[in-house]
Amino acid sequence: MVSRLLLGALASLPGLSWALQLLPPTQNASDSPSTGAVWEVGPVPKVIYVEEKLASKTDDDGLTLIPPSGFGFADVFREDLSQLTDSNWTLLRVEQLPNQANVSSNSILLAEFTGDTSSITYENGVPTSEGYELVVTSTSVFIGGTGARGMWWGTRTFLQHLLLRQNGTVPVGRSVDAPAYATRGFMLDAGRKWYSPGFLKELCSYASFFKMSEFHYHLSDNYPLNRGANDTWQDVYSHFSLLPEDESLRGILHGRENETLSRAEFAELQRHCAARGVTVVPEIEAPGHCLYLTKWKPELALPKRDLLNLTHPDAVPTVKRIWSAFLPWFEAKEVHIGADEYDPALADDYIAFVNEMSDFVNSTAGKRVRIWGTHEPSETLTVSTDIVVQHWQYGQSDPVRLVAEGYDVINSQDWWAYTSIKNDHTPILPARYPQFFNESRVLAFADRPGWQWQPADFNPFNVSMQLDDGEPRNKGAILAAWNDNGPDASTQLEAYYSMRRGIALTGARAWGGARGPELDAGSVSASVDFFSPRAPGQNLDRVLLPSPEVTWTRTDEDTDGGTFHLGRGSKGMNYTLTLSVTGPFTLSGPDNTLSLDEEGHLVFEADGWVYPLRHVSEEDGLELDPGHPGRIWVNASSSTHEEVRLSDDLPATITIATDVEHGSVVWVDGEFVGRFEVFVYGGRNTQFSWSQMAFVAPLEDITGSGLERLRLWPGNSQTV
């Protein structure tokens, strides 16, 4: 039998269940579970054959300008399959597939779709290269794509089947499938927090497994000027996530060149995502949310300093100068110019700017422009219908009206699509944005049990005002994760925790649309939990393999305080870590460090921000506010939130238990001490709070002589 080290190790993870489903579920499937017939990975040589007609094919109907060939997709599939089966697979490019009767049972055959490709369409009836057929017999697997991308999506279905079975088998049967919508995307706010290229690539790999097609990269923004950290507007956090090659433009970075992607790094990110069927759609914000620009050139600002004064003669040329620098970097047919939440009293200036930028981007780079839906009450001007409008809130735009007026739209309605990483906007109305994606709003749209959201569903308030299923001007849907609470309010991985369910559910429902199978509401949560750590090409859950437990005890050879290499990386949620401590030490990993200094301060450091252990009462730390998990209101708490000093308590046993809602909470010699947390400014400066920080356990290196023993195990029984 095939070596199943990895599959076996993953099978031991919590949450294993046989009552799970594919995400997205396939339509037109004719599996034969009643017979129990399966295709099984055997011990003989393992070969993937890709037929030349598909191997040399690239799709020109997608959004990317760097479409992989069928062979390119097949090679990534080979890597994924080798990882999941812990065995080597050979990829052979052949003029014609071998006769299925003459190949080993370990053979997988990749080729073009065998039927009428014109019958494989999006829900609006337009043929698509994203369709596929998956045919599994007891002796072979065939995946045929209407294009190279279609074959790729078929491999995702095959791998999900393989993982669900847990033993290297896939059920016999046939399915034919294609997405309902071309745009199936996720947006990450990288303008109010820095994200490393490694994290962004892992996020693309994760999203691809659930058949997402777009990564909307919101690369510039600033901390909201209505929040309480704004002593002076010049000091408010703003960020631009790309490193200009033109050094005269580096004023937009405000000294954070080390928190940017170079051209080579951004090109690698785009290639990595495209290799997995995901197009990076970059966004540079203006004329609102552009403190990155107005702090550099204050003369260009309106009295609300993150708004650009479009009547200043240098304003539009400066925006064009920035776009001219980066348009050659962008390998997508569409780009996003932001253009939301400007001053409606300046609607004519706004509309003229948007239309001018659309013409500029199109004439300069041949690209189409997207904007956020924005209220622009003008009696003389209208936004060009060449522009795609991404609807996000009623009062800003109306998708039904937009479609009637000839606009293409994208569904990012905040009621279902938005998360605000770490904290919502309380008390700002009408929408509290959840800190974790609210899957109930997909499974019960408009709070109607049984109504599963899909991209034609926009309006949760007036349920009669939706778009028609398959409306040709509806491109699809994009969920959005915002860092409105600033760069220190979360770690990079906490952004993943916020989005992980949303990516899987949005991908499933945007793929299925109105015509596809609905999700099994009873098992979808378990299905997401099952697939998340198993999706190939990423380890955002920071799973430890082959064993989830770690123990270490200092020996006589380690008494000099040098560095001991554990080599286990990071352990993600959920875990309990006990440390026997006599003095200073540093425990480091690829995501963060945990250290105890000479003065007894226990501190996590992540993404360049320092988080000391703070005094919190046991009640505040462990009893969650059901509406705001992890949030401790400043005006309703007995906790001091002062920094803890452990110097008088040593030696001691420190226990850290971590999950995403409680965060990382701490006991010293069995007594509850506090947690690691961050101060969060509330919406409109009225409800300040302390919020939990959930850190992965750093397990790569130990430095210093003050750590005697370490033990980590999965689960956080201390907090439940």
Side-chain angles (χ1 to χ4, degrees), residues 688-700:
F688 303 152
S689 66
W690 291 89
S691 290
Q692 82 282 20
M693 294 297 299
F695 295 105
V696 298
L699 298 169
E700 192 67 11

Side-chain angles (χ1 to χ4, degrees), residues 19-139:
L20 301 176
Q21 65 178 145
L22 302 179
L23 294 173
T26 56
Q27 59 178 329
N28 302 320
S30 59
D31 295 342
S32 54
S34 60
T35 67
V38 296
W39 171 88
E40 183 172 8
V41 179
V44 294
K46 303 164 185 65
V47 182
I48 301 169
Y49 296 92
V50 55
E51 194 168 60
E52 179 59 34
K53 286 182 66 177
L54 180 71
S56 60
K57 189 171 190 175
T58 58
D59 303 330
D60 59 10
D61 62 336
L63 203 59
T64 182
L65 293 172
I66 48 172
S69 66
F71 186 82
F73 278 129
D75 195 41
V76 180
F77 172 50
R78 178 195 58 77
E79 293 175 2
D80 291 347
L81 195 56
S82 296
Q83 174 194 340
L84 292 179
T85 61
D86 188 39
S87 56
N88 292 323
W89 286 77
T90 300
L91 177 62
L92 296 180
R93 186 169 182 161
V94 296
E95 284 296 326
Q96 187 173 6
L97 292 181
N99 188 307
Q100 294 186 37
N102 298 328
V103 297
S104 74
S105 60
N106 278 345
S107 298
I108 299 175
L109 312 176
L110 308 177
E112 292 185 315
F113 186 79
T114 60
D116 179 8
T117 57
S118 66
S119 67
I120 306 302
T121 70
Y122 295 121
E123 198 162 331
N124 61 16
V126 174
T128 172
S129 64
E130 296 192 84
Y132 70 89
E133 60 181 320
L134 172 62
V135 183
V136 181
T137 71
S138 59
T139 58

Side-chain angles (χ1 to χ4, degrees), residues 526-580:
S527 297
V528 174
D529 288 341
F530 175 84
F531 282 125
S532 291
R534 297 164 171 84
Q538 58 84 40
N539 185 20
L540 290 168
D541 283 282
R542 299 301 190 253
V543 175
L544 293 182
L545 294 176
S547 169
E549 297 191 12
V550 179
T551 58
W552 173 84
T553 300
R554 185 175 296 278
T555 66
D556 292 340
E557 297 175 355
D558 303 318
T559 57
D560 61 357
T563 297
F564 180 84
H565 184 61
L566 278 176
R568 298 302 303 274
S570 299
K571 170 65 178 74
M573 308 298 112
N574 298 323
Y575 69 83
T576 301
L577 173 67
T578 61
L579 306 168
S580 296

Side-chain angles (χ1 to χ4, degrees), residues 339-626:
D340 69 321
E341 296 186 303
Y342 197 62
D343 187 343
L346 304 175
D348 284 357
D349 295 338
Y350 167 87
I351 295 171
F353 166 80
V354 166
N355 289 341
E356 184 174 351
M357 287 303 301
S358 175
D359 291 341
F360 172 77
V361 169
N362 184 264
S363 62
T364 302
K367 301 180 189 297
R368 193 178 187 190
V369 157
R370 296 178 179 180
I371 64 171
W372 296 100
T374 301
H375 181 50
E376 66 285 331
S378 173
E379 296 181 358
T380 58
L381 299 176
T382 59
V383 170
S384 168
T385 55
D386 292 335
I387 295 170
V388 180
V389 180
Q390 190 166 343
H391 167 83
W392 68 279
Q393 188 179 84
Y394 287 92
Q396 297 293 328
S397 61
D398 180 344
V400 173
R401 179 178 175 182
L402 287 170
V403 165
E405 293 175 350
Y407 294 94
D408 287 349
V409 298
I410 294 171
N411 186 345
S412 290
Q413 167 62 40
D414 61 356
W415 187 87
W416 74 265
Y418 274 26
T419 62
S420 180
I421 297 171
K422 189 52 63 70
N423 269 326
D424 58 32
H425 286 187
T426 297
I428 295 176
L429 298 175
R432 270 181 39 205
Y433 299 150
Q435 67 191 80
F436 307 108
F437 187 85
N438 190 337
E439 61 189 271
S440 68
R441 292 187 171 184
V442 169
L443 299 175
F445 183 71
D447 294 326
R448 302 286 183 93
W451 181 353
Q452 293 197 4
W453 169 88
Q454 49 98 6
D457 297 329
F458 283 80
N459 196 327
F461 316 109
N462 183 345
V463 296
S464 65
M465 297 296 290
Q466 317 301 342
L467 294 183
D468 292 337
D469 296 338
E471 161 59 51
R473 294 200 176 277
N474 185 3
K475 294 169 66 70
I478 297 175
L479 68 92
W482 295 100
N483 279 297
D484 289 338
N485 297 294
D488 63 337
S490 62
T491 68
Q492 296 187 55
L493 288 171
E494 283 182 303
Y496 164 66
Y497 308 147
S498 176
M499 301 171 70
R500 64 194 289 270
R501 295 191 182 282
I503 286 174
L505 269 68
T506 302
R509 295 302 297 139
W511 178 280
R515 70 186 183 185
E518 290 194 341
L519 298 170
D520 177 3
S523 68
V524 68
S525 182
S527 297
V528 174
D529 288 341
F530 175 84
F531 282 125
S532 291
R534 297 164 171 84
Q538 58 84 40
N539 185 20
L540 290 168
D541 283 282
R542 299 301 190 253
V543 175
L544 293 182
L545 294 176
S547 169
E549 297 191 12
V550 179
T551 58
W552 173 84
T553 300
R554 185 175 296 278
T555 66
D556 292 340
E557 297 175 355
D558 303 318
T559 57
D560 61 357
T563 297
F564 180 84
H565 184 61
L566 278 176
R568 298 302 303 274
S570 299
K571 170 65 178 74
M573 308 298 112
N574 298 323
Y575 69 83
T576 301
L577 173 67
T578 61
L579 306 168
S580 296
V581 176
T582 61
F585 72 90
T586 297
L587 188 59
S588 58
D591 299 297
N592 54 29
T593 63
L594 173 67
S595 61
L596 181 71
D597 66 18
E598 294 282 355
E599 297 180 346
H601 296 111
L602 188 65
V603 175
F604 267 108
E605 183 174 352
D607 304 337
W609 300 92
V610 174
Y611 305 88
L613 173 62
R614 294 183 180 275
H615 278 293
V616 170
S617 72
E618 188 167 7
E619 179 181 1
D620 284 344
L622 300 186
E623 295 185 13
L624 295 175
D625 179 336

Side-chain angles (χ1 to χ4, degrees), residues 22-24 26 73-81 83-84 132 134 143 149-163 205-212 275-277 511 531 534-537:
L22 302 179
L23 294 173
T26 56
F73 278 129
D75 195 41
V76 180
F77 172 50
R78 178 195 58 77
E79 293 175 2
D80 291 347
L81 195 56
Q83 174 194 340
L84 292 179
Y132 70 89
L134 172 62
I143 304 173
R149 286 187 299 165
M151 180 271 289
W152 169 255
W153 300 131
T155 67
R156 303 305 89 184
T157 300
F158 170 79
L159 291 179
Q160 287 195 18
H161 274 302
L162 189 71
L163 284 168
S205 297
Y206 178 79
S208 170
F209 197 61
F210 301 103
K211 300 189 174 77
M212 283 289 208
R276 292 182 172 273
W511 178 280
F531 282 125
R534 297 164 171 84

